[in-house]
Amino acid sequence: QQALDHERARIARDIHDDVGSTLTRIVLLSELAGREPEQTYTQDGHLAGIRSAAKEITRRLDEIVWAINPRNDTLDALVTYISKLVTDQARAAGLRCRLDLPPSLPTWPISGATRHNLFLACKEAIHNAIKHAAANQLQLRLTLQEGTFLLEICDDGVGLPAAPSESAGDGLLNMRERLAASGGACELSSVPGRGTTVGFRLSCPQKPKPLSIK
């Protein structure tokens, strides 16, 4: 019951923080459009802002629905969704995208909380790579090892500075905390001028026994 209450509170928080704030922005832009019609139809005017906010709501609702659907509590569903995320984000940023995945993804079960934490950590890593790395390519790589799996976000950008900014430090701390909450680890490697790799390592659950039909 505690886990269920926690999940309900998380969903409510996501809807309030993400969807609610974006809807408020749409309302404000609509009011501005009524008061400032000359600024409504310009390239970056109020109408463009409303359109962008509506697209953002659609994307966030898709993420929330995906996160709470128990049918997605498997490794293959998680990796498939993250593959779409990194592909879409790379295309929008004008970057090449490479998926280095096994020929077939295992259907190992993953709890909803772990899946959500790993998705948000990957999303943070993708955002950081696009915003800060000055990269030409993003790569998603999945390595299956005995007892664990390793999911990595790689870029070919400038690498991390010797003294990262405070915001970059917060992002790395958030990723590490999310993985630690799920019993995993966040691994970071970076070479100046040759890119950065952020890896998320988690224990592989035991493969479920096949059902016997009598």
Side-chain angles (χ1 to χ4, degrees):
Q1 183 62 44
Q2 283 184 332
L4 182 60
D5 290 343
H6 178 77
E7 186 69 5
R8 285 171 173 168
R10 181 188 64 76
I11 295 167
R13 186 171 59 251
D14 285 349
I15 293 175
H16 176 271
D17 293 347
D18 295 324
V19 178
S21 62
T22 308
L23 283 171
T24 300
R25 189 160 83 244
I26 289 177
V27 171
L28 293 175
L29 287 169
S30 300
E31 293 174 349
L32 286 173
R35 296 199 301 265
E36 304 171 348
E38 71 281 357
Q39 296 293 327
T40 298
Y41 299 101
T42 60
Q43 184 175 1
D44 57 349
H46 305 319
L47 185 60
I50 292 172
R51 182 168 56 248
S52 175
K55 289 181 178 179
E56 184 178 336
I57 285 181
T58 301
R59 178 181 58 79
R60 286 297 296 129
L61 284 175
D62 178 74
E63 291 178 3
I64 292 171
V65 171
W66 174 83
I68 65 177
N69 190 339
R71 290 182 299 178
N72 295 322
D73 287 349
T74 61
L75 180 60
D76 61 329
L78 172 65
V79 174
T80 299
Y81 196 79
I82 293 176
S83 297
K84 182 179 183 300
L85 174 68
V86 69
T87 300
D88 290 346
Q89 293 292 312
R91 181 184 299 114
L95 306 180
R96 298 191 304 273
C97 183
R98 176 180 173 186
L99 303 179
D100 188 3
L101 307 175
S104 60
L105 296 172
T107 58
W108 290 327
I110 296 180
S111 72
T114 295
R115 179 166 58 87
H116 186 247
N117 281 332
L118 189 52
F119 168 74
L120 291 179
C122 287
K123 187 177 177 181
E124 178 86 24
I126 294 167
H127 172 78
N128 288 343
I130 292 174
K131 186 175 181 180
H132 303 293
N136 295 309
Q137 176 178 281
L138 291 181
Q139 179 184 7
L140 176 67
R141 183 165 61 210
L142 175 65
T143 304
L144 302 176
Q145 300 170 326
E146 185 177 356
T148 64
F149 69 86
L150 177 64
L151 191 62
E152 296 172 297
I153 306 295
C154 315
D155 68 68
D156 62 350
V158 297
L160 293 178
S165 65
E166 184 176 340
S167 60
D170 289 343
L172 182 58
L173 178 62
N174 289 339
M175 290 186 285
R176 285 175 171 163
E177 288 180 346
R178 292 188 191 283
L179 267 292
S182 297
C186 176
E187 304 172 357
L188 178 68
S189 63
S190 183
V191 178
R194 298 182 60 183
T196 300
T197 296
V198 183
F200 306 112
R201 187 182 299 275
L202 282 165
S203 298
C204 292
Q206 295 294 322
K207 296 178 68 175
K209 295 180 180 180
L211 295 175
S212 58
I213 301 176
K214 298 182 179 180

